[in-house]
Amino acid sequence: MCLSTVYRNEKTPQSVVMRNVTSIRCEEGMVILTDLMEQTCAIEGTLELANLVDGFVIVKTAN
């Protein structure tokens, strides 16, 4: 199973949005994340980078 940590704009400890993400959907300008415990989080932005080998994703947001 591949789990990822999602970051906002850059890969820094302060920009973590969600850990242990199992799925990512993009709908109408939103990136919708679901974690291992089936919790969801929606953030406005676009998927910039998904590095599944290293287990991280960057979502580009306006802020």
Side-chain angles (χ1 to χ4, degrees), residues 1-16:
M1 176 184 296
C2 293
L3 301 175
S4 295
T5 300
V6 176
Y7 298 89
R8 184 184 313 261
N9 296 321
E10 60 184 348
K11 187 180 173 200
T12 63
Q14 301 87 343
S15 63
V16 171

Side-chain angles (χ1 to χ4, degrees), residues 16-46:
V16 171
V17 175
M18 182 178 262
R19 298 183 191 280
N20 299 317
V21 173
T22 59
S23 71
I24 302 170
R25 292 189 336 265
C26 297
E27 294 180 7
E28 301 176 10
M30 301 294 288
V31 178
I32 302 157
L33 313 168
T34 305
D35 73 4
L36 192 59
M37 301 303 290
E38 297 296 320
Q39 295 180 352
T40 61
C41 174
I43 58 173
E44 189 173 353
T46 57

